[in-house]
């Protein structure tokens, strides 16, 4: 059943202040509308749950990629195409560029935003594992000012997040690392393109003196939220990668994730793929 368009209202504020005023007025009434690539699917299916939308697309404060010495700050309205085209993103955060490249097709990449992907909060979304592996931090704004949240603490349950009424996601802050990282990103879906992930795996590591000096491992589609696997990371930290540490990491990951059977895949398949990807990542670390 398609939606009845006159039931909906979309307003375009002229400034950030105006947008925040609207979002604060009778809390919960107005919702942000960014690229619309998630919202329009719901509209088309007659399942769009809210009636009033604030078009945030023109808000300059949410656009652009800013590079400072310590951080790269990516505006929430940055599209997948912009992520892929930015030289610093390509050099330092290649997993985000890869996630962007594998998200939908060209039209979705031109219109879909990183902020929309985060706030839509699908456990199967493709950017979140890369953001978790890069220790991303979120900046949200409201009439009360700005606050920062570690991205690893943002998703609190299925489609639930640390975001209050009246708040907008303004930007994503990515800490820059002085030592080079080994990056490993894999999206496993039914097809190579235009597929929703069955498992999405992102990991980053630094090796020093043949030991794991730093490691981040994050997965999508294996729990109600995108998750960082800190227990698995702990089985590797300060150790050399060998058969024993690989076996121990596999055992820990198997207990740390909670895949389910659904229309896209089975628990068994997802678990097996996640463990195989972990092993492949660790084999690369060992070889490096
Ligand atoms: C054909 C197709 C293929 C797709 N393929 C993929 C894929 O491969 N991988 C993948 O991960 N996703 C995919 N998607 C989903 C979608 O494109 C992404 O999630 C996209 O990043 C959403 O961004 P948007 O700007 O379009 O969000 P919108 O649809 O505008 O908004 C999504 C949600 O986020 C909220 N929101 C948006 N921006 C903000 C903000 N700044 N502050 C607060 N709330 C905000 C909105 O209120 C809404 O609830 C696909 C979608 C389609 C239609």
């Amino acid at each position: 059943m398609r939606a009845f368009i006159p039931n909906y209202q979309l307003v375009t504020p002229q400034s950030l202040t105006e947008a925040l005023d609207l979002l604060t007025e009778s809390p919960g009434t107005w919702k942000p509308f960014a690229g619309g690539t998630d919202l329009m699917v719901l509209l088309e299916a007659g399942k769009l749950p809210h009636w009033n939308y604030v078009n945030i697309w023109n808000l300059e404060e949410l656009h652009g990629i800013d590079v400072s010495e310590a951080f790269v700050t990516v505006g929430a309205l940055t599209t997948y195409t912009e992520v892929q085209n930015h030289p610093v993103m390509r050099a330092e955060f290649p997993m985000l560029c890869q996630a962007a490249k594998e998200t939908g097709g060209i039209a979705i990449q031109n219109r879909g935003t990183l902020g929309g992907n985060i706030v839509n909060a699908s456990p199967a979304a493709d950017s979140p594992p890369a953001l978790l592996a890069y220790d991303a931090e979120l900046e949200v704004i409201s009439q009360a000012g700005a606050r920062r949240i570690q991205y690893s603490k943002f998703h609190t349950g299925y489609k639930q997040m640390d975001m209050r009424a009246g708040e907008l996601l303004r930007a994503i802050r990515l800490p820059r690392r002085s030592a080079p990282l080994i990056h490993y990103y894999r999206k496993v879906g039914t097809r190579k393109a235009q597929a929703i992930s069955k498992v999405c795996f992102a990991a980053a590591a630094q090796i020093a003196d043949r030991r794991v000096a730093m490691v981040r491992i994050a997965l999508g589609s294996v729990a109600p939220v995108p998750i960082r696997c800190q227990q698995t990371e702990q089985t590797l930290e300060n150790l050399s990668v060998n058969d024993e540490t690989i076996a121990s990491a596999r055992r820990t990951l198997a207990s740390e994730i909670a895949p389910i059977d659904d229309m896209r895949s089975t628990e068994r398949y997802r678990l097996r793929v996640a463990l195989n990807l972990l092993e492949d990542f660790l084999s690369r670390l060992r070889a490096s």
Side-chain angles (χ1 to χ4, degrees):
M1 180 106 153
R2 296 184 73 175
F4 183 58
I5 300 294
N7 283 343
Y8 292 91
Q9 197 180 357
L10 178 75
V11 298
T12 301
Q14 296 308 309
S15 67
L16 178 59
T17 312
E18 203 186 308
L20 293 177
D21 287 349
L22 266 175
L23 291 170
T24 310
E25 167 187 303
S26 49
T29 305
W30 294 89
K31 293 273 173 201
F33 192 105
T37 60
D38 279 313
L39 291 174
M40 291 303 286
V41 172
L42 294 175
L43 179 83
E44 190 65 16
K47 291 181 181 162
L48 192 55
H50 296 278
W51 307 114
N52 303 310
Y53 287 89
V54 181
N55 172 17
I56 59 173
W57 190 256
N58 299 329
L59 301 180
E60 267 176 38
E61 294 86 344
L62 275 64
H63 279 282
I65 299 177
D66 180 60
V67 181
S68 69
E69 202 178 323
F71 295 96
V72 174
T73 305
V74 183
L77 291 173
T78 303
T79 64
Y80 295 110
T81 301
E82 288 165 338
V83 168
Q84 292 174 70
N85 287 345
H86 198 280
V88 178
M89 296 300 288
R90 284 209 299 270
E92 297 182 29
F93 304 101
M95 296 195 293
L96 268 177
C97 297
Q98 199 179 332
K101 194 174 166 201
E102 295 185 31
T103 294
I106 302 289
I108 294 296
Q109 292 171 19
N110 284 343
R111 185 75 195 180
T113 66
L114 204 50
N117 201 227
I118 292 169
V119 181
N120 189 56
S122 162
D126 292 319
S127 310
L131 292 169
L132 287 168
Y134 288 137
D135 288 332
E137 204 179 53
L138 305 183
E139 184 191 315
V140 295
I141 40 167
S142 67
Q143 279 184 337
R147 70 183 176 102
R148 295 221 177 97
I149 313 155
Q150 267 301 321
Y151 183 52
S152 55
K153 300 205 167 106
F154 181 68
H155 298 288
T156 53
Y158 178 70
K159 292 266 180 185
Q160 289 175 343
M161 63 208 96
D162 179 6
M163 198 136 185
R164 303 168 192 159
E167 282 184 333
L168 264 183
L169 175 59
R170 196 201 73 79
I172 301 107
R173 273 198 347 158
L174 300 164
R176 302 178 78 185
R177 297 213 176 243
S178 42
L181 290 176
I182 296 161
H183 313 255
Y184 180 96
Y185 180 91
R186 293 287 181 281
K187 168 178 175 170
V188 178
T190 308
R191 300 171 297 275
K192 274 198 174 278
Q194 295 279 24
I196 298 178
S197 292
K198 295 178 180 199
V199 175
C200 183
F201 186 104
Q206 280 167 348
I207 300 286
D209 299 329
R210 305 185 70 79
R211 286 168 188 270
V212 179
M214 185 288 288
V215 63
R216 298 282 183 270
I217 297 169
L219 281 101
S221 290
V222 295
V225 296
I227 53 164
R228 189 171 141 204
C229 300
Q230 284 173 289
Q231 291 166 27
T232 308
E233 291 167 8
Q234 279 160 18
T235 64
L236 297 160
E237 272 158 13
N238 300 316
L239 297 174
S240 57
V241 181
N242 53 38
D243 290 347
E244 205 181 309
T245 42
I246 291 176
S248 151
R250 278 182 63 108
R251 277 196 303 276
T252 309
L253 186 68
S255 64
E256 202 170 13
I257 61 178
I260 55 163
D261 288 343
D262 66 11
M263 63 189 289
R264 278 194 284 280
S265 191
T266 61
E267 176 201 344
R268 198 161 150 249
Y269 179 83
R270 286 184 161 120
L271 177 63
R272 182 136 184 199
V273 169
L275 295 178
N276 287 352
L277 293 174
L278 174 69
E279 186 153 348
D280 191 38
F281 162 61
L282 294 177
S283 305
R284 275 161 204 241
L285 281 194
R286 172 147 66 173
S288 72

